[in-house]
Amino acid sequence: MHDEQGWGCGLLVDMTSSFILRVLLLGSLLSTFPVFAQTLVERLGYPPGTKLLIVHADDLGETHSVNAAVIKALQGGTINSASLMVPCPWFPEIADYAKSHPDTDFGLHLTLTSERVYYRWGPVAPADKVPSLVDQNGYFHHDWEKGERINAKEVEIELRAQIERALAMGVRPTHLDSHQYRLIMNGKELFDTMLRVAHEYKLPVFVTRDWFADHPYLQASLGPSDIVLDHTVTMEPEIPPEKWADFYVTALKNLKPGVTEFVIHPGYDDDELRAATRERPTWGAAWRQRDYDFFTSDQFREILAQQKIKLITWRELAPAAEAR
Amino acid sequence: MHDEQGWGCGLLVDMTSSFILRVLLLGSLLSTFPVFAQTLVERLGYPPGTKLLIVHADDLGETHSVNAAVIKALQGGTINSASLMVPCPWFPEIADYAKSHPDTDFGLHLTLTSERVYYRWGPVAPADKVPSLVDQNGYFHHDWEKGERINAKEVEIELRAQIERALAMGVRPTHLDSHQYRLIMNGKELFDTMLRVAHEYKLPVFVTRDWFADHPYLQASLGPSDIVLDHTVTMEPEIPPEKWADFYVTALKNLKPGVTEFVIHPGYDDDELRAATRERPTWGAAWRQRDYDFFTSDQFREILAQQKIKLITWRELAPAAEAR
């Protein structure tokens, strides 16, 4: 975990307001009054040491199987947040649900790749406006090969198109995140693009301090009004199926104080999802069924209670950013 | 059924070659040598009176359920022809199958609408090149409302884009047809657009004489090298589920001599297809399961034998056009 001081230094890079600079200097002089050292947990009004958890399902809109499984799990209450892939063909189904369930915590899972083989999608923006994002058949690239020239201006066009379609279809997103972390892990220019668009739409972006060491540009670009989660946990491809529950149980038992987002991928292991993901087991149908099973289980519910972990959503985080 | 004479008159409209004109005049003088009165069955080398049948599945590529059901039925042999929807997300799955089964009779089901509610797709061409074809969210229109201004030039751009994507992905189509008959039933300009593109790619178009009375422009636009099927049969929405097999059995028992295409819609009544089609029963999951069940049944196979109906595909029809 990175210290608050390091984060404070990062802030200075981007700040131009002399007022804010003076306040920062004052803050460092008056170290007994640590207004800028306040953690996200404290800003949310919880005592230090509180363990807050977002249980966040990815990839809604990609398949009906994932939509159906996550809707069922959201209704059960232990999965409490999710994000939607606007370019995908089942987006209308989940947009319709979001519209009729306006209190649900739905973000947009900004999507720039079409990573499957037998089931694919392309950009929301006209393909000729985002040529660097599409392959020779007009789909998003399956992957970004080393040296793939992704044009940040085209990324911005596509992100705006995704957000505008979601808004036009009645979705009121609570946050933005990035499918396959493409906008997080691929350099400052793409991250800044996402952040600029997010600021314009007044939406928080999913970023965690866990990523700062490997990607220092994240810290450098974030401002004082941005929410930064403390930690994230996600399943690792090397975990065998029989250790699935163990992995999550261990993570929950070792959960650190602060706000953590579990990034999970529930779905039903049915014909559609098996066909859509059949070229590899990672994030495949059986994987997603295991996630569904664990996060809707009594075991999960009991560990939350036992470990005094409180569930929280992006709906509660957004006001913390505004209040800052 | 329309007589050959009427069809011959239609041909004259489009012909400019004086050679062809002279041959036509000669043909009408030498009525004892009825080269232009030859039926499609005769041109195919069968005796007059032969009943030839194409059992043609629509809508491949739209869902995995339809792909899987039709692949299974094609392998059984009683469904022997199908067409693919290029703009749909499961097109890569069926394109991959087509590539590895190059002898299968696959056409392209040219698609200009996205007729479902919870599951949708848009054009292959960049949306800003085909604005009259898309709704405010960038999908193909759900329907063409009365007065919807569909621009024929944009239709041509989109048809070419669909064919080019199919070719680029390794599909070698045997014919073209039109999803929801949009390009057949909506006036001469759209039909001529499809026909012009089809001629350019040297692909036959599914047209039947059954449609000439209601849409005389079809007959007027077709030339001597175009294949025209004699009849078509398709399920009618008013037929109740319990009369499904009866409807097809009656049609088969009353099949007229000539080439008939049965336009059918097989699929599995599974979670994906139920979700994708849930807003109405017509062409829904249960409908498609009934089609799958009948056309893979022993009953169907037995009636074919009993009625001396011979199955034929577009692969055999195309050389008949070339030879003409």
Side-chain angles (χ1 to χ4, degrees), chain A residues 64 86 89-93 96 117-120 126-129 137-139 165 168-169 270-272 275-276 278, chain B residues 64 86 89-93 96 117-120 126-129 137-139 165 168-169 270-272 275-276 278:
Chain A
H64 169 67
V86 182
W90 283 99
F91 176 70
E93 176 180 67
D96 181 75
V117 173
Y118 301 102
Y119 176 70
R120 309 201 65 202
D128 56 355
K129 294 282 191 295
N137 297 320
Y139 302 112
R165 177 185 279 183
M169 290 174 70
D270 62 10
D271 287 343
E272 179 203 15
R278 66 184 180 266
Chain B
H64 169 68
V86 182
W90 283 99
F91 176 70
E93 178 180 65
D96 182 75
V117 173
Y118 301 103
Y119 176 69
R120 309 202 64 203
D128 56 355
K129 294 281 190 296
N137 298 319
Y139 303 111
R165 178 185 279 182
M169 291 173 71
D270 63 9
D271 287 343
E272 178 203 15
R278 67 185 180 265

Side-chain angles (χ1 to χ4, degrees), chain A residues 39-59:
Chain A
T39 64
L40 180 55
V41 161
E42 289 166 329
R43 273 159 43 208
L44 290 166
Y46 293 96
T50 307
K51 297 172 186 175
L52 298 173
L53 181 63
I54 303 168
V55 187
H56 188 279
D58 275 16
D59 299 348

Side-chain angles (χ1 to χ4, degrees), chain B residues 61-83:
Chain B
E62 185 170 333
T63 56
H64 169 68
S65 169
V66 166
N67 285 353
V70 175
I71 286 172
K72 179 92 174 155
L74 284 165
Q75 288 166 349
T78 49
I79 292 176
N80 67 347
S81 179
S83 57

Side-chain angles (χ1 to χ4, degrees), chain A residues 19-213:
Chain A
F19 169 75
I20 296 176
L21 197 63
R22 281 200 304 275
V23 174
L24 268 172
L25 289 168
L26 186 67
S28 68
L29 289 171
L30 301 173
S31 58
T32 51
F33 183 66
V35 63
F36 292 101
Q38 216 185 9
T39 64
L40 180 55
V41 161
E42 289 166 329
R43 273 159 43 208
L44 290 166
Y46 293 96
T50 307
K51 297 172 186 175
L52 298 173
L53 181 63
I54 303 168
V55 187
H56 188 279
D58 275 16
D59 299 348
L60 278 74
E62 186 169 334
T63 55
H64 169 67
S65 169
V66 166
N67 284 354
V70 175
I71 286 172
K72 178 94 175 154
L74 284 165
Q75 287 166 348
T78 50
I79 293 176
N80 66 348
S81 179
S83 57
L84 321 181
M85 295 170 74
V86 182
C88 292
W90 283 99
F91 176 70
E93 176 180 67
I94 197 67
D96 181 75
Y97 182 86
K99 222 169 122 178
S100 59
H101 295 77
D103 296 333
T104 309
D105 179 21
F106 285 131
L108 300 184
H109 200 50
L110 299 167
T111 298
L112 298 172
T113 45
S114 176
E115 72 276 13
R116 294 296 170 179
V117 173
Y118 301 102
Y119 176 70
R120 309 201 65 202
W121 52 86
V124 174
D128 56 355
K129 294 282 191 295
V130 294
S132 78
L133 302 184
V134 297
D135 68 14
Q136 73 276 18
N137 297 320
Y139 302 112
F140 280 135
H141 294 292
H142 177 270
D143 209 339
W144 288 355
E145 304 297 337
K146 255 192 173 164
E148 195 80 66
R149 200 193 60 83
I150 300 298
N151 181 309
K153 286 207 182 81
E154 296 171 19
V155 167
E156 185 160 342
I157 289 169
E158 176 59 20
L159 299 187
R160 286 178 194 280
Q162 293 185 15
I163 297 169
E164 287 297 327
R165 177 185 279 183
L167 294 174
M169 290 174 70
V171 178
R172 296 290 167 262
T174 55
H175 63 289
L176 299 177
D177 56 19
S178 170
H179 185 52
Q180 299 190 314
Y181 305 106
R182 297 280 166 180
L183 295 161
I184 300 288
M185 305 302 182
N186 285 288
K188 181 171 168 59
E189 195 182 12
L190 292 194
F191 178 67
D192 287 356
T193 300
M194 171 163 70
L195 201 59
R196 186 167 56 248
V197 173
H199 286 166
E200 199 177 303
Y201 285 94
K202 299 190 190 311
L203 290 168
V205 164
F206 170 42
V207 188
T208 160
R209 296 181 201 292
D210 288 350
W211 301 333
F212 285 176

Side-chain angles (χ1 to χ4, degrees), chain B residues 115-147:
Chain B
E115 73 277 13
R116 294 296 170 182
V117 173
Y118 301 103
Y119 176 69
R120 309 202 64 203
W121 52 85
V124 173
D128 56 355
K129 294 281 190 296
V130 293
S132 78
L133 302 184
V134 297
D135 68 13
Q136 72 276 18
N137 298 319
Y139 303 111
F140 279 135
H141 294 291
H142 178 271
D143 209 338
W144 288 356
E145 305 297 338
K146 256 193 173 165

Side-chain angles (χ1 to χ4, degrees), chain B:
Chain B
M1 186 174 163
H2 296 265
D3 60 63
E4 294 293 328
Q5 184 59 33
W7 189 51
C9 286
L11 292 180
L12 285 171
V13 174
D14 273 300
M15 284 187 182
T16 52
S17 155
S18 65
F19 170 75
I20 295 176
L21 197 61
R22 279 199 306 274
V23 172
L24 270 172
L25 289 169
L26 187 67
S28 68
L29 289 171
L30 300 173
S31 59
T32 51
F33 183 66
V35 61
F36 293 100
Q38 217 185 7
T39 64
L40 180 56
V41 161
E42 288 165 330
R43 271 155 50 202
L44 289 164
Y46 292 95
T50 307
K51 297 173 186 175
L52 298 173
L53 180 64
I54 305 169
V55 187
H56 187 280
D58 275 15
D59 300 348
L60 279 74
E62 185 170 333
T63 56
H64 169 68
S65 169
V66 166
N67 285 353
V70 175
I71 286 172
K72 179 92 174 155
L74 284 165
Q75 288 166 349
T78 49
I79 292 176
N80 67 347
S81 179
S83 57
L84 322 181
M85 294 170 74
V86 182
C88 292
W90 283 99
F91 176 70
E93 178 180 65
I94 197 68
D96 182 75
Y97 181 87
K99 220 169 125 178
S100 60
H101 295 76
D103 295 333
T104 309
D105 179 20
F106 285 132
L108 300 184
H109 199 50
L110 299 167
T111 299
L112 299 173
T113 45
S114 176
E115 73 277 13
R116 294 296 170 182
V117 173
Y118 301 103
Y119 176 69
R120 309 202 64 203
W121 52 85
V124 173
D128 56 355
K129 294 281 190 296
V130 293
S132 78
L133 302 184
V134 297
D135 68 13
Q136 72 276 18
N137 298 319
Y139 303 111
F140 279 135
H141 294 291
H142 178 271
D143 209 338
W144 288 356
E145 305 297 338
K146 256 193 173 165
E148 196 81 67
R149 201 192 60 81
I150 300 298
N151 181 311
K153 288 207 180 81
E154 297 171 18
V155 167
E156 184 159 344
I157 291 170
E158 177 59 20
L159 299 188
R160 286 177 194 281
Q162 293 185 15
I163 296 169
E164 287 298 327
R165 178 185 279 182
L167 294 173
M169 291 173 71
V171 178
R172 296 291 167 263
T174 55
H175 64 288
L176 299 177
D177 56 19
S178 169
H179 185 51
Q180 299 190 315
Y181 305 104
R182 296 282 167 179
L183 294 160
I184 300 288
M185 306 302 181
N186 285 288
K188 181 171 168 56
E189 195 181 9
L190 293 193
F191 178 67
D192 286 355
T193 300
M194 171 163 71
L195 201 60
R196 187 167 55 248
V197 173
H199 286 165
E200 200 177 302
Y201 285 94
K202 299 190 193 310
L203 289 169
V205 164
F206 170 42
V207 188
T208 161
R209 296 180 201 293
D210 288 351
W211 300 333
F212 286 177
D214 286 345
H215 305 285
Y217 55 82
L218 299 175
Q219 197 173 6
S221 292
L222 290 159
S225 65
D226 292 308
I227 288 175
V228 179
L229 303 197
D230 297 298
H231 306 292
T232 187
V233 170
T234 196
M235 181 51 66
E236 290 158 16
E238 57 272 23
I239 304 295
E242 66 277 11
K243 298 283 185 193
W244 217 256
D246 288 354
F247 173 89
Y248 287 127
V249 167
T250 303
L252 289 162
K253 288 189 173 167
N254 293 308
L255 203 70
K256 292 178 191 146
V259 181
T260 300
E261 177 166 311
F262 268 35
V263 174
I264 64 170
H265 300 86
Y268 292 134
D269 184 9
D270 63 9
D271 287 343
E272 178 203 15
L273 197 53
R274 274 197 291 272
T277 63
R278 67 185 180 265
E279 69 278 5
R280 56 181 164 88
T282 42
W283 296 276
W287 172 303
R288 289 171 191 257
Q289 182 72 53
R290 289 194 293 273
D291 265 9
Y292 177 85
D293 291 345
F294 180 78
F295 286 99
T296 58
S297 70
D298 289 341
Q299 183 184 17
F300 176 50
R301 203 180 291 273
E302 284 157 16
I303 290 172
L304 290 179
Q306 189 191 77
Q307 300 292 320
K308 299 191 174 42
I309 296 166
K310 188 181 153 42
L311 296 189
I312 191 172
T313 75
W314 282 95
R315 290 205 173 278
E316 291 152 90
L317 292 180
E322 280 168 23
R324 172 125 177 109

